[in-house]
Amino acid sequence: MIYLDNSATSFPKPETVGQAMLNFINNIGANPGRSGHVLSIEAAKVVYYAREEIAELFGVSDPLRVVFSSNATESINMAIKGMCKPGDHVLVSPMEHNAVMRCLENCRSHDVSFSVLPSNDEGMVLVDKMAEAILPNTVLIIVNHVSNVSGLIQPIREIGKTAKELNIPFLIDAAQSAGVFDINMETDNIDLVAFTGHKALYGPQGTGGLVIADEFSHDRIAPLKYGGTGSKSECEVQPSFLPDKFESGTQNAVGIAGLLEGVKYIKKIGLDNIRAKEKELAKRLYEGLSSIPGIKIYSKNNENYASTIPFTIDSITTSEISDILNEKYGVLCRAGLHCSPGAHSKIGTYPDGTARLSPGWFTTQEEIDKTIEAIKEMVNGS
Amino acid sequence: MKSYGYVLFYSTSAALRTEKVAKILNIPVKLVSVPRQLGSDCGVCIQFDTAYEEGIRELLESKRIEYSRIHI
């Protein structure tokens, strides 16, 4: 079996991820931060160490500014719903996932409006035209750092610099980028990062978070959830301090134990090495596919693209591509619209979508070569 | 004889952060259960030698760590 669906969920995981989760469930098990006994403290330490690793990964000095959630979607909802009031306006890139778009569509009924930032044909935000899109009531700029549809990398550093000059908070959706690309919230002027644990951070599903920059006041965000935090139990009003303000209910500590190991693993390898390997795999895949007649690739083999390769074949529908690759060749990929109809519209692949191949750190060159051969054979046989 | 002070917190996360930062700054501290007479919410607190009181206060201030109170 050849797994090329890492943009959806990375697989396999480093061995230490599963081991840490098993150790937590069998030997620690208690509720983090709810009691003073030894196992509760052990559980709280695991969660805290994960905060430290993640804070460092994103260039944040205070680990308590890492708020855990179940995934990037929940984190994005936290930011949008927590910051936007009736009459407010939000700016987004044209490459946003439904995590952003459905939340904003829902907010329309609360009199929150949104519009799309100026971009080039590939969907890259035109930084020098950003100011023209700002309205007096714009309260947030949201950009999908790396597109899950085309792999396009947005110039977040330049966008962050401009957002800061315009004094508008800047949120990035780092679902596809965290763990592969360097993100430093301080030097890149990013106020909020929504990340997920189950992709390039090599943690389990059900982990993620919202990271709040050191200098960004969390008073500007209202909680999405209210409830027990293990702190200030005598008070029926939600605590105002981090991370408890946003972390009601018992955390997914077993998942976070796995995420901690995933993050340690990628740091040990080094983001530059991960990016270099994935770039090499993507180049090989891109060049191999380009030589097949009737195939169209919607990413580019250059510095502006990550390792996600979306393609279509003239004579075969995208769902057929994925089915044949799965059943006949054991190549696992994802076909369709990838929860991002707007991004597909932007690159001209809506409503049919694409088949998407997404290698990860554990993908080998041999697997890439076998995949290219499988697609060649499929096209010849169609 | 050493005398100890205690920093009480609203949340365990803040206690763990204080413990970690204190270690980096070479301030000897210990994460302990809150002494019964002091009571508290999150169950654990930081015990420190009162000789380091100033250092502890500076640490909490400079790192903007939310705490409930300091008991000497």
Side-chain angles (χ1 to χ4, degrees), chain A residues 240-261:
Chain A
S240 58
F241 51 84
L242 290 171
D244 298 35
K245 179 180 176 181
F246 302 107
E247 285 188 356
S248 291
T250 295
Q251 291 300 296
N252 175 14
V254 63
I256 292 168
L259 174 61
L260 168 59
E261 293 306 317

Side-chain angles (χ1 to χ4, degrees), chain A residues 41 52 62 230-233, chain B residues 10-12 16-17 20 41 44:
Chain A
I41 292 171
E52 279 192 332
D62 181 356
S231 51
K232 285 198 168 184
S233 288
Chain B
Y10 298 118
S11 78
T12 310
L16 289 169
R17 174 149 163 75
K20 200 68 183 272
D41 200 82
V44 291

Side-chain angles (χ1 to χ4, degrees), chain A residues 25 34 36 47 49-50 64 69 82 91 104 107 109 149 162 191 220 227 233 235 279 310 345 374:
Chain A
I25 209 83
R34 295 297 193 273
V47 175
Y49 294 154
L64 303 187
S69 68
L91 274 168
L104 287 174
C107 286
S109 59
V149 168
T162 305
D191 297 298
R220 300 173 76 165
S233 288
C235 185
K279 206 160 125 184
S345 293

Side-chain angles (χ1 to χ4, degrees), chain A residues 16-276:
Chain A
T16 48
V17 171
Q19 286 164 353
M21 293 173 75
L22 194 64
N23 179 54
F24 188 97
I25 209 83
N26 285 338
N27 302 319
I28 302 175
N31 199 317
R34 295 297 193 273
S35 314
H37 59 71
V38 61
L39 289 183
S40 176
I41 292 171
E42 275 308 301
K45 281 185 175 176
V46 168
V47 175
Y48 180 76
Y49 294 154
R51 288 190 213 282
E52 279 192 332
E53 292 290 344
I54 292 163
E56 189 194 61
L57 183 70
F58 294 119
V60 170
S61 67
D62 181 356
L64 303 187
R65 302 185 80 82
V66 175
V67 173
F68 284 117
S69 68
S70 53
N71 45 45
T73 297
E74 186 182 351
S75 308
I76 288 163
N77 272 259
M78 263 195 228
I80 294 175
K81 299 255 177 184
M83 289 182 70
C84 300
K85 298 177 194 69
D88 286 346
H89 170 258
V90 178
L91 274 168
V92 298
S93 88
M95 302 303 280
E96 297 308 308
H97 187 276
N98 272 344
V100 169
M101 299 316 293
R102 286 185 176 173
C103 187
L104 287 174
E105 280 293 340
N106 175 265
C107 286
R108 277 184 196 273
S109 59
H110 309 296
D111 196 25
V112 172
S113 60
F114 63 91
S115 50
V116 180
L117 285 159
S119 64
N120 68 12
D121 291 346
E122 295 167 52
M124 189 177 285
V125 172
L126 298 172
V127 180
D128 54 355
K129 296 207 169 145
M130 273 175 67
E132 297 165 22
I134 303 287
L135 301 178
N137 56 340
T138 305
V139 297
L140 185 61
I141 293 171
I142 308 173
V143 171
N144 188 3
H145 185 188
V146 168
S147 169
N148 60 309
V149 168
S150 68
L152 180 75
I153 305 163
Q154 296 287 355
I156 52 163
R157 187 161 294 168
E158 291 74 20
I159 296 172
K161 186 169 176 278
T162 305
K164 191 181 181 187
E165 286 163 7
L166 296 165
N167 200 24
I168 313 266
F170 178 37
L171 160 68
I172 66 162
D173 174 355
Q176 298 293 330
S177 59
V180 182
F181 296 91
D182 186 39
I183 299 168
N184 186 306
M185 293 176 72
E186 191 185 349
T187 55
D188 296 348
N189 293 304
I190 300 164
D191 297 298
L192 301 161
V193 167
F195 71 93
T196 195
H198 70 289
K199 299 185 197 273
L201 295 182
Y202 290 91
Q205 293 161 343
T207 58
L210 182 69
V211 188
I212 302 169
D214 284 314
E215 299 309 320
F216 188 78
S217 171
H218 64 271
D219 294 342
R220 300 173 76 165
I221 315 172
L224 189 63
K225 298 184 289 188
Y226 295 81
T229 55
S231 51
K232 285 198 168 184
S233 288
E234 75 287 355
C235 185
E236 290 184 341
V237 174
Q238 189 76 4
S240 58
F241 51 84
L242 290 171
D244 298 35
K245 179 180 176 181
F246 302 107
E247 285 188 356
S248 291
T250 295
Q251 291 300 296
N252 175 14
V254 63
I256 292 168
L259 174 61
L260 168 59
E261 293 306 317
V263 174
K264 279 159 76 173
Y265 182 85
I266 57 156
K267 282 185 178 178
K268 200 168 125 195
I269 293 169
L271 267 56
D272 288 348
N273 292 330
I274 293 173
R275 168 64 175 150

Side-chain angles (χ1 to χ4, degrees), chain A residues 287-296 372-373 375-376 379-380:
Chain A
E287 286 171 355
L289 293 183
S290 300
S291 66
I292 303 172
I295 210 163
K296 187 163 185 206
I372 295 164
E373 285 310 310
I375 295 170
K376 268 185 195 163
V379 170
N380 290 335

